[in-house]
Amino acid sequence: MALRFRRIVVLTGAGISAESGLGTFRDKDGLWTKYDLNEVATPEGFARNPRLVHEFYSARRKNLLDAKPNAAHAALAALEEAAGGNLLLVTQNVDTLHEQAGSRNIRHMHGELLRTRCGPCGHSAADEDELTLERQCTACGRAGGLRPDVVWFGEMPFHMDEIADALGDCDLFLSIGTSGTVYPAAGFVLAAAHAGAHTVELNLEPSEGHSTFAERRYGPASAIVPDYVNSLLSGGRHGGTAIAD
Ligand code: APR
C-alpha cells in the first residue's frame, strides 16, 4: 500500500519504551528522580565516581535484557516496511527495542546501552556484561576506562549531520514518547516544519513543544501509535488518500 507521505522521519524517546518496562527520565518515578544525572550521566560524574556510573548502567543493562518491544515499536517497523525504506527512525533511546521489533533504518543519537566504549582508546564493541573498573579493553588492554557507549550531557549526539539532512527533506515528522526538553532532539520539529513537513506529536501528555506540532494525539504509545500508523496505511483522514504506486 503506497503512503501519501514519501520521506518520513520519526523521533522516539523514553515514552515509547515505558510500557515495555523501561523507565522514563522525567515522569513521576523517572530515573532522574532517583539518580542525580550530574553524577551518572556526565563525563565529570564518571571522572568523580566511575563505580557509581558502572552500577547505574549495569542495572539498566539487566533491565533491558528482560524487556520486550511493545505494539508501538511493532507499528513503526510496519510503517518502515510500507514506506519502502523511506523512513529514518531517530531514537534518543539507548535500548534495542526498535531493532527487536524489526525496524532497520535506525540512528541512536544518544548511543547504545548494549555497547561499551574504551575512554582512552575509543574502541567500541557490543557488550551485555556488567561494567567494572577491573575489566580490560579488548583492543588496548587498559582497565579502568570502560564506559557505556552512550552520549552524556555535555557530549555531542551522534549522526547529527545525517539527521539534519533528513529533517530538511522530510514530508512527515512523527515525535513519539519524548518530553521535548533536551536539545538538539527537541528542536527537530521546527526543522521539519520549516521544510514543509506535516508534524505530529504522539505522547502520553503534551510535551514542551506541543504547540509547534500541526497534529497531536495523546495516550499510551502502545495504543495511539498503532492507531496512527493504521490511519496512514489505510489512507485515513490524517494519512490523506493513499496513492497507488
Ligand atoms: N506512552 C507515550 N508516552 C509516554 C508514556 C507512554 N506509555 N509514558 C511516558 N510518556 C511520555 C511522557 O509524557 C514524557 O513526555 O514520554 C516522555 C518521556 O520524557 P523523558 O522522560 O524526558 O524522556 P525523553 O524525552 O526520552 O528524554 C530525552 O533526556 O535524559 C536524557 O538522554 C536522555 O534520551 C534522554 C533525553
Side-chain angles (χ1 to χ4, degrees), residues 22 40 68 74 76 80 99 109 121 126 129 134 145 180 183 201 207 216 237:
L22 298 184
V40 295
K68 292 273 161 286
L76 291 182
E80 178 180 332
E99 289 84 347
M109 63 180 286
C121 83
D129 298 333
E134 293 69 31
Y183 285 81
E201 170 165 90
S207 70
R216 303 177 278 272
R237 194 164 54 84

Side-chain angles (χ1 to χ4, degrees), residues 188-216:
F188 288 177
V189 56
L190 278 175
H194 187 71
H198 180 54
T199 56
V200 185
E201 170 165 90
L202 303 172
N203 207 53
L204 189 62
E205 61 209 7
S207 70
E208 290 276 302
H210 65 91
S211 57
T212 319
F213 289 89
E215 189 180 351
R216 303 177 278 272

Side-chain angles (χ1 to χ4, degrees), residues 13-15 19 25-27 32 92 110 177-179 182 203-204 221:
E19 293 163 86
F25 296 95
R26 295 173 182 81
D27 286 327
W32 297 150
Q92 299 172 92
H110 289 166
T178 180
S179 59
V182 176
N203 207 53
L204 189 62

Side-chain angles (χ1 to χ4, degrees), residues 11-20 22-28 30-32 37 41 57 60 70 72 91-94 109-110 150-153 176-183 185-186 201-208 217-225:
L11 172 68
T12 61
I16 199 170
S17 299
E19 293 163 86
S20 295
L22 298 184
T24 61
F25 296 95
R26 295 173 182 81
D27 286 327
K28 192 172 38 32
L31 279 172
W32 297 150
L37 65 86
Y57 285 98
R60 289 180 66 192
N70 63 59
T91 186
Q92 299 172 92
N93 300 340
V94 293
M109 63 180 286
H110 289 166
V150 300
V151 177
W152 283 331
F153 289 96
I176 303 172
T178 180
S179 59
T181 49
V182 176
Y183 285 81
E201 170 165 90
L202 303 172
N203 207 53
L204 189 62
E205 61 209 7
S207 70
E208 290 276 302
R217 294 190 183 189
Y218 297 113
S222 65
I224 63 171
V225 176

Side-chain angles (χ1 to χ4, degrees), residues 25-151:
F25 296 95
R26 295 173 182 81
D27 286 327
K28 192 172 38 32
D29 50 3
L31 279 172
W32 297 150
T33 65
K34 297 176 189 138
Y35 290 87
D36 174 353
L37 65 86
N38 295 298
E39 295 304 311
V40 295
T42 61
E44 298 77 13
F46 184 60
R48 257 195 312 277
N49 186 348
R51 281 197 195 288
L52 174 64
V53 175
H54 282 170
E55 262 168 47
F56 177 66
Y57 285 98
S58 298
R60 289 180 66 192
R61 276 187 176 170
K62 273 210 191 76
N63 209 4
L64 172 50
L65 293 175
D66 297 337
K68 292 273 161 286
N70 63 59
H73 298 101
L76 291 182
L79 181 59
E80 178 180 332
E81 190 72 30
N86 293 317
L87 182 150
L88 181 67
L89 175 51
V90 180
T91 186
Q92 299 172 92
N93 300 340
V94 293
D95 65 50
T96 53
L97 298 183
H98 285 303
E99 289 84 347
Q100 290 182 49
S103 287
R104 287 193 298 279
N105 201 17
I106 304 168
R107 301 295 178 276
H108 284 273
M109 63 180 286
H110 289 166
E112 297 180 62
L113 181 55
L114 297 186
R115 292 186 69 81
T116 291
R117 177 167 14 123
C118 173
C121 83
H123 175 72
S124 167
D127 180 23
E128 299 185 354
D129 298 333
E130 195 187 356
L131 286 161
T132 68
L133 290 176
E134 293 69 31
R135 274 182 63 185
Q136 292 175 307
C137 169
T138 51
C140 72
R142 276 172 278 196
L146 295 187
R147 57 170 282 179
D149 197 359
V150 300
V151 177

